[in-house]
Amino acid sequence: MCWMNHKHGWWFLTESPIPASQSPALNAAKLIMESKGSSPRLYRNALVFLAVDKAKLQDLDESVRRYLAWESIVDDTTSLDLSPHQAKQAVSQKQAASTVVDSRIPEAYQWCSQPIRPPHSPRWIGHRFA
């Protein structure tokens, strides 16, 4: 099952042991599946939801924070009065942090959930990417 956590303007779907009936993520997914803005959604079976693995979320979050910190330093090179060598190091660290983030995104987002409609009632199935 999944839940949603609002953090810094982003919604993260993360793994949770709570039942599907109490899952805010699945409730939100159901709302998304039912409507598109103020009109009913057509082709509901075409939706797929990607979710992050809770165990990998902390690593991804840490990597993104490190990247944003280096990006801020690179952007403020002049106001921080960095030497050319320090500025070059900051750019190198930012590039390295970007590479780490790029590698951790597929590691973290490894759950896929989609609605299926059997004859009696809709249900959700989940898949884990290898």
Side-chain angles (χ1 to χ4, degrees):
M1 297 308 111
C2 302
W3 62 283
M4 291 183 88
N5 177 22
H6 183 262
K7 189 173 187 179
H8 306 295
W10 294 88
W11 286 97
F12 294 100
L13 289 170
T14 55
E15 193 176 52
S16 174
I18 63 175
S21 61
Q22 298 173 10
S23 170
L26 286 179
N27 290 335
K30 288 174 188 176
L31 288 174
I32 292 168
M33 186 180 72
E34 294 297 322
S35 64
K36 179 182 173 189
S38 60
S39 59
R41 183 176 295 279
L42 301 175
Y43 309 110
R44 295 176 187 166
N45 61 339
L47 294 177
V48 176
F49 296 89
L50 186 63
V52 70
D53 187 89
K54 187 176 182 180
K56 303 288 185 177
L57 180 60
Q58 185 175 354
D59 293 339
L60 177 61
D61 185 57
E62 181 182 311
S63 302
V64 170
R65 288 173 188 270
R66 184 171 286 120
Y67 170 79
L68 292 174
W70 283 113
E71 182 180 49
S72 176
I73 292 168
V74 169
D75 291 346
D76 296 337
T77 300
T78 306
S79 63
L80 293 171
D81 196 27
L82 298 181
S83 69
H85 176 68
Q86 290 171 323
K88 187 175 178 181
Q89 277 185 315
V91 169
S92 175
Q93 290 293 328
K94 177 186 169 187
Q95 290 171 342
S98 176
T99 302
V100 172
V101 169
D102 290 346
S103 69
R104 289 196 174 160
I105 289 173
E107 290 173 5
Y109 283 88
Q110 54 182 271
W111 291 98
C112 175
S113 188
Q114 67 187 72
I116 61 169
R117 190 170 290 277
H120 301 294
S121 65
R123 64 184 183 98
W124 291 82
I125 58 170
H127 306 280
R128 186 174 199 165
F129 299 114

